[in-house]
Amino acid sequence: MAPSTAGSRGKRADVEFRLPADGAYVSVLRTATAAIAARLDLTLDDIEDLRMAVGEAGALLLPEADDAADLHCLFYLRPGKLVVTVSVDSRHPSTPDRESFAWQVLTTLTDLTQVEYADGRLAVTMSMTSSALGSPGAARGAGLDV
């Protein structure tokens, strides 16, 4: 079941991944994110920022994952914009530490980042709009709309 996040808005994801919720697979997710982002009008810096942010989302979520859970990733592609939701099954998640390095990376490198817990799934949704669409940093704060 897909998480009900602001990134999805009831729409089917353009790309979906399901991997074991194990740190060894986060590098696969980071590489896939970079490949998908490269297909859009994102700059090389944007692609690297998003790749790192997805890795940090995994770092936040993996400790909260239930035993034998999967790491799910949904990608919503729009011209010059990518919304990514990374999630895990988690019966008793803790609130992300907003002072942690992982959270600081997420909020610094993406337009908008949010955490949601619904139906036993903890999800981090982030968006990246190409900085090539305006002056550097102009796209930041563009929101999660898909």
Side-chain angles (χ1 to χ4, degrees):
M1 181 169 154
S4 108
T5 64
S8 64
R9 300 226 187 263
K11 296 179 183 177
R12 182 176 178 260
D14 296 301
V15 179
E16 297 183 36
F17 284 104
R18 182 177 53 86
L19 304 162
D22 182 297
Y25 291 94
V26 173
S27 64
V28 173
L29 185 56
R30 288 171 47 143
T31 301
T33 298
I36 291 168
R39 299 187 52 85
L40 302 172
D41 292 328
L42 296 170
T43 67
L44 291 176
D45 286 340
D46 293 337
I47 292 167
E48 181 60 19
D49 287 351
L50 189 58
R51 188 184 72 78
M52 288 187 336
V54 166
E56 294 304 327
L60 283 173
L61 293 172
L62 289 178
E64 304 300 325
D66 293 342
D67 291 339
D70 289 324
L71 183 66
H72 294 260
C73 192
L74 307 174
F75 295 88
Y76 301 88
L77 288 63
R78 300 297 175 262
K81 183 174 184 170
L82 183 58
V83 177
V84 182
T85 297
V86 183
S87 65
V88 294
D89 288 328
S90 181
R91 282 176 288 221
H92 307 288
S94 60
T95 304
D97 178 4
R98 295 182 188 264
E99 299 299 318
S100 70
F101 178 76
W103 186 257
Q104 296 303 314
V105 169
L106 281 170
T107 58
T108 301
L109 298 179
T110 61
D111 298 339
L112 186 63
T113 302
Q114 69 181 39
V115 176
E116 181 179 59
Y117 181 71
D119 301 323
R121 184 171 293 278
L122 182 62
V124 174
T125 299
M126 64 206 93
S127 69
M128 173 68 71
T129 304
S130 176
S131 59
L133 296 178
S135 61
R140 301 293 183 247
L144 294 173
D145 296 330
V146 273

